[in-house]
Amino acid sequence: MGTTKWIGTLAVAALAALPAVSAPSALGAPGGGAAVASAPLRDLAAAEGKYFGTAMTVGELADPAYRDLSAREAGVLTVGNELKWDTTEPARGSFDFGPGDQVVAGGVAAGQLVRGHTLVWHNQTPAWVKALEPADLHQAMVDHIAAVAGHYRGKLIAWDVVNEAFADDGTRRQEFWQLKLGDGYIADAFRAAHAADPTAKLYYNDYNIDGIGAKSDAVYEMVKSFLEEGVPIHGVGLQAHLIVGQVPSTVRQNIQRFADLGLEVAITELDVRMDTPADAAKLAAQAADYSAVVSACVAVDGCAGVTTWGLSDKYSWIPSVFPGQGAALPFDESFRPKPAYDAVAAAFGGGSQAACSAVYRVVGQWGGGFQGEVVVTAGAAALTGWAVTWPLGSGQAVTAAWNASVSTAGGVVTARNASYNGSVGAGRSTSFGFLASGPHAAAPSVSCAAG
């Protein structure tokens, strides 16, 4: 497919011009390393004229392993919390851009383009805003957008301008914005955002509008009227906070109808939750759901790309909001890829070769050597055997191993399964350990293959 589909030619060209990002040096644990047996999702998506992105917060940015994972896999970063009103303007006229600047800088350092989220929302908005009288509230909204979007003028590719303004039945959500300002506040917010940053793509963003229904119909009619009236809106964000086995059958049709208006569409906050604990059947169903959503985006020229709301279950918001549910993201809490990862890769045109992944970590060190552990995880299909390879560092030699047969040739270590741990179910893991002499200065790039 061509590369003119995502945000015109601007963002695809920008991604192509970014420097290549190497595989992460620390996935899974301090001092460890990993490589997934597939091209990074950001590269697979870009080859389809799309993007793959994720969200990031300041706290997550402080985790080196997670930061490396994000840098490898995501070409676009959405600022998770730090651009919301309670952070950027906690008191009227008093702005704090420090946290947002940190996340934006982190994305730039990782070779990522950055999306802003969100300017107007009924949640995470200070009490002082909600207490204002209508005329004052409208002015505060315009001033806030001017200051925040203006601060990042030219630095972000897109903004989620207004977030979650509709109820599930298609009526306007009866929160303070609607009750005090009426229907017109949404259009006014878009006009203010465009004045503050004319180059950013401006999105309306909401949940439960992934398929065709009352809520998505209402959003469709609103954005259609905006286009007819000349309101500066460029896209619609489908959050796609989904439940295993409940992906709407009309996702592709829904994306297409918004795209037919001339709007961009993006999957902006994808995760697929399940009742925990996860098992092989749930993980396989989840992989199918991820595949369905990503494939729907790939199939429609007007779909810009897919953002997951985080990459690892370690940082998912789901368990704190939906007790007993979770395991919603493509990587588990130890940053090991799940079947959903392979499904996303395959939907973007790659990843079918990703039979397994390997996570390498150092579990002990001493003056003359170190102890390592490698966790092997099967992809979307079960393994009947596996082989893991990595290059030896200068002065290193493997001196012993357990739960694997290890050999060294040409400076490359090959570890093959033992007779009792070659069969690994889809999404399941096994592990082996080794002792090595010599220094451990940097984590190697590790590969896994079926065999």
Side-chain angles (χ1 to χ4, degrees):
M1 296 183 179
T3 57
T4 60
K5 297 183 289 186
W6 168 32
I7 312 182
T9 58
L10 174 64
V12 166
L15 266 184
L18 291 172
V21 178
S22 60
S25 61
L27 292 184
V36 177
S38 158
L41 296 181
R42 60 186 290 167
D43 295 344
L44 294 173
E48 291 291 316
K50 311 291 183 182
Y51 68 76
F52 177 77
T54 190
M56 181 70 75
T57 66
V58 164
E60 294 159 6
L61 193 67
D63 181 335
Y66 192 62
R67 188 171 65 242
D68 286 346
L69 177 63
S70 171
R72 179 181 191 271
E73 298 295 338
V76 172
L77 198 69
T78 296
V79 183
N81 281 312
E82 289 73 15
L83 296 184
K84 293 172 182 173
W85 200 315
D86 58 356
T87 297
T88 53
E89 193 183 5
R92 189 165 192 177
S94 179
F95 291 92
D96 182 3
F97 298 115
D101 287 351
Q102 288 183 55
V103 180
V104 172
V108 171
Q112 296 164 319
L113 303 173
V114 184
R115 297 183 80 256
H117 176 82
T118 177
L119 292 168
V120 177
W121 189 27
H122 63 278
N123 279 334
Q124 292 182 245
T125 299
W128 69 264
V129 180
K130 300 177 183 180
L132 295 173
E133 293 300 318
D136 213 11
L137 177 62
H138 187 274
Q139 189 61 51
M141 179 187 77
V142 171
D143 291 346
H144 177 82
I145 293 171
V148 178
H151 178 80
Y152 293 100
R153 183 184 179 110
K155 298 178 182 178
L156 307 183
I157 61 167
W159 270 104
D160 292 330
V161 177
V162 177
N163 198 47
E164 301 177 3
F166 284 83
D168 284 344
D169 63 1
T171 62
R172 294 293 184 100
R173 182 185 292 274
Q174 296 301 295
E175 293 284 351
F176 67 97
W177 291 113
Q178 181 69 29
L179 293 172
K180 292 186 178 183
L181 300 183
D183 290 355
Y185 83 92
I186 300 178
D188 288 347
F190 276 86
R191 294 186 184 101
H194 184 64
D197 188 354
T199 65
K201 297 291 184 178
L202 305 181
Y203 273 69
Y204 176 78
N205 192 56
D206 215 328
Y207 66 92
N208 285 353
I209 61 168
D210 317 298
I212 292 176
K215 189 173 185 179
S216 62
D217 286 348
V219 172
Y220 178 87
E221 293 302 325
M222 179 188 73
V223 299
K224 183 174 181 287
S225 71
F226 282 2
L227 293 171
E228 293 168 349
E229 297 162 9
V231 176
I233 184 171
H234 308 106
V236 174
L238 315 182
Q239 290 185 13
H241 293 298
L242 301 169
I243 301 171
V244 164
Q246 297 183 28
V247 175
S249 62
T250 53
V251 171
R252 177 176 174 178
Q253 182 182 353
N254 191 43
I255 294 172
Q256 186 69 63
R257 68 168 174 166
F258 282 110
D260 287 345
L261 292 175
L263 291 169
E264 294 174 357
V265 184
I267 307 299
T268 53
E269 304 182 24
L270 176 63
D271 47 35
V272 183
R273 66 186 185 267
M274 65 181 69
D275 291 336
T276 53
D279 58 31
K282 294 175 188 175
L283 291 171
Q286 181 186 61
D289 289 342
Y290 266 94
S291 177
V293 175
V294 176
S295 296
C297 178
V298 170
V300 179
D301 284 353
C303 187
V306 176
T307 292
T308 54
W309 206 245
L311 288 172
S312 165
D313 295 334
K314 180 178 180 180
Y315 293 115
S316 173
W317 66 286
I318 296 293
S320 63
V321 177
F322 299 99
Q325 296 185 319
L329 292 167
F331 290 81
D332 70 13
E333 293 186 357
S334 298
F335 303 162
R336 293 181 299 231
K338 294 154 61 178
Y341 175 89
D342 291 334
V344 173
F348 278 133
S352 59
Q353 74 276 27
C356 58
S357 61
V359 176
Y360 170 117
R361 66 178 186 137
V362 172
V363 296
Q365 288 184 270
W366 51 92
F370 60 95
Q371 178 180 336
E373 179 188 65
V374 177
V375 177
V376 177
T377 302
L383 296 171
T384 56
W386 47 263
V388 174
T389 59
W390 70 92
L392 283 172
S394 177
Q396 292 180 351
V398 174
T399 59
W402 51 96
N403 296 334
S405 173
V406 174
S407 60
T408 304
V412 176
V413 179
T414 299
R416 297 187 180 278
N417 61 275
S419 60
Y420 49 83
N421 63 355
S423 296
V424 184
R428 297 291 187 174
S429 299
T430 189
S431 64
F432 66 91
F434 64 92
L435 299 177
S437 60
H440 188 274
S445 176
V446 185
S447 297
C448 183

